[in-house]
Amino acid sequence: MSSKNHFDTSYYQKFEKKNKFHTYLLSLIDRKGPIFFYLLAQKKPKAKLLDIGCGDAKFLQHVQNHFACLGVDTSTQALKLAKKKAPKASFKKLSIYDLKKLPDQEFDIITCFDVLEHVTNHTAIFSQMHRILKPSGKLIVSFPNASSLMLRRKLQSWECLQDSSHIYLLSAQDWEQRLRTNGLLPVKRWMSGFLNPIYKHINLSLFEKLFLQLPTQILFVFGFPLPVTWGDVAFIAAIKNPHFKNDYHLEQEKLSSTD
């Protein structure tokens, strides 16, 4: 969602591989187990879920049976694949910069996985998320964790630095502060474990594979809390600060005072 050329047709072709083992491993890793079960615990009747930057719906295919889902993305190819993977969900071609086109307080849950590091103007984006989220709603975001031990260990070869479209790499603490500043209060944090997923060839030493990568990923999948520096990817759940007034609220108050 950061550029027109990065997430083109060829980007998603790699997810259409016919290898069944590869597809099975992808489905396990992309299930985001702890997040999925956390959302189910928060579930309300007819809850609406918005997935921003839904890609080819690897997440929505698992939650479509539990929520009224809307996925938005700017890639035509991604949405074409998404409709096949999550037929019960609705989809719309929409940029994260155009959330203003969505209704006020419309969603119980907003998810935004692996998008924030690709975009700029987070203040405006978080302001719109705050606006379209219901008062009792929850926002869950994920991003590369710049305080990861693996960044210090691998430096320029760190997985999250290999993607040229990653223009914002911040620590989990820095992202939490940005959320607070824009009226979104962090309430829970997860660390996914060290990256370099097992379905992709990465130049890892045997020690890293056996004692760093696999154990930390397994701990994450089964919901064990990991230290901040043990996660290459961080997930944060946040709620609306009821006392926060963003630009939208201030504008509404100004209009009311002139009536």
Side-chain angles (χ1 to χ4, degrees), residues 9-253:
T9 301
S10 63
Y11 180 86
Y12 289 96
Q13 284 177 344
K14 62 187 176 183
F15 297 119
E16 295 185 285
K17 294 181 182 293
K18 304 302 181 182
N19 185 294
K20 292 183 179 180
F21 183 63
H22 176 278
T23 303
Y24 173 70
L25 289 175
L26 269 177
S27 69
L28 287 179
I29 292 169
D30 289 315
R31 187 177 291 273
K32 297 181 175 67
I35 314 313
F36 177 66
F37 292 114
Y38 175 76
L39 291 179
L40 286 185
Q42 313 293 317
K43 184 178 177 182
K44 298 179 180 179
K46 300 180 180 179
K48 292 184 177 181
L49 184 150
L50 170 67
D51 189 21
I52 301 171
C54 65
D56 56 352
K58 293 189 292 293
F59 177 69
L60 289 180
Q61 68 180 331
H62 299 295
V63 298
Q64 63 178 336
N65 293 322
H66 303 277
F67 303 96
C69 298
L70 171 64
V72 299
D73 205 289
T74 56
S75 169
T76 301
Q77 177 67 9
L79 293 175
K80 180 180 177 181
L81 296 172
K83 291 173 183 177
K84 294 178 181 178
K85 285 188 176 181
K88 294 182 181 180
S90 300
F91 295 94
K92 183 179 293 187
K93 189 173 183 180
L94 191 73
S95 166
I96 193 172
Y97 297 117
D98 294 322
L99 298 179
K100 58 190 175 187
K101 296 180 180 179
L102 298 175
D104 298 350
Q105 299 185 11
E106 178 75 3
F107 300 99
D108 300 279
I109 298 167
I110 298 175
T111 55
C112 185
F113 301 126
D114 309 318
V115 175
L116 296 175
E117 65 271 23
H118 298 279
V119 298
T120 59
N121 200 357
H122 298 112
T123 296
I125 290 170
F126 288 148
S127 176
Q128 289 299 322
M129 289 178 173
H130 185 282
R131 179 186 63 80
I132 64 178
L133 194 63
K134 291 183 178 180
S136 60
K138 283 190 171 57
L139 166 70
I140 299 183
V141 296
S142 75
F143 42 81
N145 175 25
S147 58
S148 170
L149 285 173
M150 273 304 217
L151 171 57
R152 303 175 200 173
R153 158 72 175 84
K154 306 189 80 171
L155 300 177
Q156 291 301 318
S157 63
W158 185 47
E159 175 80 356
C160 299
L161 285 175
Q162 298 304 301
D163 190 334
S164 61
S165 70
H166 287 177
I167 56 179
Y168 264 91
L169 290 175
L170 304 174
S171 69
Q173 296 92 329
D174 288 337
W175 281 116
E176 286 186 343
Q177 184 55 47
R178 291 193 175 208
L179 287 166
R180 289 191 190 94
T181 301
N182 293 283
L184 296 159
L185 302 175
V187 293
K188 191 171 179 62
R189 180 201 289 170
W190 300 263
M191 295 296 158
S192 70
F194 295 121
L195 211 61
N196 306 316
I198 54 180
Y199 60 84
K200 183 176 178 182
H201 174 69
I202 296 292
N203 184 22
L204 277 179
S205 69
L206 181 61
F207 173 83
E208 287 175 327
K209 286 181 180 178
L210 294 180
F211 299 104
L212 294 178
Q213 174 209 346
L214 288 176
T216 56
Q217 290 289 354
I218 291 171
L219 286 171
F220 170 67
V221 168
F222 284 96
F224 288 92
L226 299 176
V228 173
T229 56
W230 283 27
D232 278 339
V233 174
F235 294 82
I236 293 175
I239 60 173
K240 291 178 74 166
N241 179 349
H243 306 294
F244 177 77
K245 294 181 180 179
N246 58 23
D247 292 340
Y248 169 78
H249 289 117
L250 293 173
E251 185 63 27
Q252 291 299 107
E253 286 186 357

